[in-house]
Amino acid sequence: MIENRPGLNLLAHLTLMLGVVIVALPVWVAFVASTHTATDFMSGTIPMWPGPHLLENYARMLDSGVSTSGTPPVGTMMLNSLIMALLIACGKIAISITSAFAIVYFRFPLRQLAFWCIFITLMLPVEVRIVPTFQVVADLGMLNSYAGLSVPLIASATATFLFRQVFLTIPDELTEAARIDGAGPMKFFRDILIPLSRTNIAALFVILFIYGWNQYLWPLLITTSSDYYTIVAGIKRMADAVDGLPQWHLVMATAMLAMLPPVAVVIGMQRLFVKGLVETEK
C-alpha cells in the first residue's frame, strides 16, 4: 500500500532538485567559464552567467586549438578518442562473449581453472602492470598507434563473467532443441545466443565506451606524437601551460566538447542500457 502524503512528496521533490543542483553546478560553471575571456575567469570572481564569447571560443578550439600547449585541434583529439573507445568497447565485447561461450558450452579439461585464471586478472589492472605493458608495446613498435592505445586495454574479465552469467540463465532445453534441429556450435552462437544477449551487449557497450573514452594515464604514457593525442590527455596538456597562465576558458570549452560523445551514447542507447542491466531471465 502506498500512502499519498503531500508533505513527503514535497520533501522528496526538494531533495531530488537539490541533488540535481549539486551534480549540475560544476558543469554549469565549466560552461559559463567557456563563454568568457581568460581575464574574466582569472579576475578572482567567477561569473555565474554566460558571456559573449561562446561561439568564438568553441570555434577556435575546433579549428586550431591552443598552439602554445602543443595539442592539435579538438576535432583531431576527439576523433582519436572515438576510435580508441570504439576499438576497446567492440574488442572487449568480441573477446569476452566468445570466451564465455567456450567456458559455458564446451567441455574441455581444466575448464573451471581457465575461467578462474581469466577472473583473477581483475586484480591486475593496467595501472598495476603499466611498466611491463609499456615495454611490450614499445618492443612491438605500437607506440603512437591506435593498436597501442587500445589492444592492452581490450581483455576484460568483468565482461567475460557477465556473459557467462547470462549464458547460464539460458535453458538447457533450448540448447537441446537447437542440437536436434541440426544447429552447429557457431550457428547456435550466431542465431540464438547473440540475439538473446542483445540488451546485455548494448548495456556493456555503453559502459565500455565511456571507460575507453575516459582513459587518461595510458594514452598520456604511450603517445608522444600530437597526431594520436586523445581528448582527455589533451586537456591535461592544455592545463599544464609552461610559459604562461593556463587559458582556462579554452580548457573548459574543450571539456564541454569532450562530454558530448559519451552523453550522446548514453541518451541514444538509454532504453537498451536499462533493459540490459535489469533483465536476468531468458
Side-chain angles (χ1 to χ4, degrees), residues 86-219:
L86 289 176
L87 287 175
I88 290 175
C90 296
K92 276 180 179 287
I93 290 173
I95 292 176
S96 301
I97 198 169
T98 50
S99 59
F101 174 58
I103 290 171
V104 174
Y105 289 98
F106 288 82
R107 300 291 183 266
F108 55 88
L110 305 178
R111 183 167 61 107
Q112 286 301 320
L113 178 62
F115 168 70
W116 285 109
C117 286
I118 295 173
F119 193 75
I120 205 170
T121 59
L122 279 173
M123 302 175 189
L124 295 172
V126 172
E127 290 76 9
V128 174
R129 51 184 168 82
I130 196 163
V131 173
T133 303
F134 177 83
Q135 185 64 50
V136 171
V137 170
D139 292 343
L140 293 175
M142 295 197 303
L143 298 178
N144 293 316
S145 68
Y146 293 123
L149 283 169
S150 57
V151 169
L153 304 175
I154 279 182
S156 173
T158 306
T160 302
F161 179 74
L162 184 145
F163 282 121
R164 174 182 177 270
Q165 298 306 111
V166 171
F167 292 163
L168 289 176
T169 64
I170 294 176
D172 294 336
E173 291 80 3
L174 189 61
T175 310
E176 293 298 325
R179 186 179 294 121
I180 292 172
D181 286 343
M186 294 314 299
K187 183 175 178 57
F188 175 71
F189 176 70
R190 184 183 64 249
D191 295 342
I192 296 178
L193 284 186
I194 290 182
L196 286 176
S197 308
R198 185 174 61 98
T199 54
N200 305 100
I201 293 173
L204 195 60
F205 176 83
V206 173
I207 295 171
L208 296 178
F209 181 87
I210 296 174
Y211 166 81
W213 183 273
N214 289 334
Q215 281 298 311
Y216 164 69
L217 182 59
W218 182 247

Side-chain angles (χ1 to χ4, degrees), residues 68-69 236-247:
T68 55
S69 65
K236 170 65 172 62
R237 288 184 171 96
M238 280 189 281
D240 291 340
V242 177
D243 297 326
L245 294 174
Q247 301 188 56

Side-chain angles (χ1 to χ4, degrees), residues 220-238:
L220 194 66
L221 185 65
I222 73 157
T223 55
T224 54
S225 169
S226 60
D227 293 337
Y228 294 95
Y229 285 174
T230 60
I231 187 70
V232 177
I235 292 173
K236 170 65 172 62
R237 288 184 171 96
M238 280 189 281

